[in-house]
């Protein structure tokens, strides 16, 4: 399996309350254990033997940020996440798979990324990490991240994806719709079509049916990579998240993959 490229979306300013708590209005520069959030994410990717080039999209300050300033490509941020993503893709011109991740999770590790990459089919158009909500809560007790109840259990997703570059032209409309709806659970569900959304709301669908529906809508192979690291769902973007991070201590050595899946779970 060959190496893949990575993109870190590190744009955006925070609320005045978060700025007061963190000492900076720049989300990417929130500090954790002596380093900016974006540096934690960059270093986790850079240490991976699975990653080739790394591009970072964000404010001008990143050109002076340790580690990040050495990225293969630094792209000035635009006004929207959509323009940031498609702008860096146009500059990077990837030829294979690309891992796309946010910068608002300083807990991400090389092991978590490597596990996701190694289990993501090379021929898939999109691969997204998911895990059971109970597995997430074992590592992050009382965290407020919301799981979604389906017929086969309660699940939670992570803030990254692996996309194959050859699929981007066909995926562009879907990507724009997902990014526009990403802050609303109801709007995300509505993208699946009203009949399926109704069954979804009534908890009558399984994760496999969600995957199949995404494939049917896009006409492309979309894959949910099950039982991924419990680190992926973490995102620190409001005061409650920040307070949790400042108080959180791992109860035991963190098994970043929490491997409870059967050997054939993603085949």
């Amino acid at each position: 399996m060959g190496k893949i490229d990575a993109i870190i979306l590190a744009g955006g300013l925070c609320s005045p309350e978060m700025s007061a708590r963190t000492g900076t209005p720049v989300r990417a520069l929130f500090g954790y254990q002596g380093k900016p959030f974006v540096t934690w994410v960059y270093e986790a990717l850079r240490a991976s033997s699975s990653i080739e080039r790394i591009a970072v999209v964000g404010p001008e300050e990143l050109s002076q940020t340790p580690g990040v300033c050495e990225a293969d490509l630094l792209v000035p941020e635009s006004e929207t996440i959509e323009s940031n993503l498609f702008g860096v893709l146009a500059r990077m011109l990837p030829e294979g798979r690309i891992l796309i991740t946010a910068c608002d999770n300083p807990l991400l590790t090389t092991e978590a990324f490597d596990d996701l990459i190694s289990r993501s089919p090379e021929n898939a158009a999109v691969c997204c990490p998911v895990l059971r909500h109970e597995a997430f809560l074992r590592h992050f007790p009382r965290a407020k991240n919301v799981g979604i109840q389906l017929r086969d259990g309660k699940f939670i997703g992570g803030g990254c994806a692996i996309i194959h570059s050859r699929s981007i032209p066909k995926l562009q409309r879907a990507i724009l719709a997902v990014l526009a709806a990403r802050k609303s659970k109801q709007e995300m569900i509505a993208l699946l079509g009203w009949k399926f959304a109704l069954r979804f709301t009534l908890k009558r669908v399984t994760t496999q049916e969600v995957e199949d529906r995404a494939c049917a809508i896009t006409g492309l192979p979309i894959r949910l990579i099950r039982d991924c690291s419990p680190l992926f769902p973490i995102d620190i973007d409001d005061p409650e998240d920040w307070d949790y991070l400042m108080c959180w201590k791992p109860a035991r050595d963190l098994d970043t993959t929490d491997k409870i899946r059967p050997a054939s779970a993603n085949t």
Side-chain angles (χ1 to χ4, degrees), residues 14 35 47 53 55 100 102 106 135 142 149 155 162 174 183 191 193 207:
C14 65
K35 289 188 285 191
R53 297 180 298 166
I100 302 169
R142 298 177 297 282
Q149 184 67 55
F155 294 87
I162 296 175
K183 297 295 185 180
L191 296 178
T207 50

Side-chain angles (χ1 to χ4, degrees), residues 129-186:
V130 298
L131 71 151
R132 292 185 179 275
H133 194 236
E134 63 197 52
F136 171 75
L137 291 176
R138 282 201 296 271
H139 293 294
F140 299 100
R142 298 177 297 282
K144 301 300 183 183
N145 301 62
V146 177
I148 296 176
Q149 184 67 55
L150 300 177
R151 192 162 56 123
D152 52 342
K154 196 172 187 178
F155 294 87
I156 188 168
C160 70
I162 296 175
I163 298 178
H164 203 294
S165 60
R166 67 175 177 233
S167 302
I168 290 174
K170 290 188 69 175
L171 282 171
Q172 187 165 356
R173 290 182 63 183
I175 292 172
L176 289 171
V178 168
L179 290 175
R182 70 189 188 281
K183 297 295 185 180
S184 168
K185 175 182 172 182
Q186 295 304 317

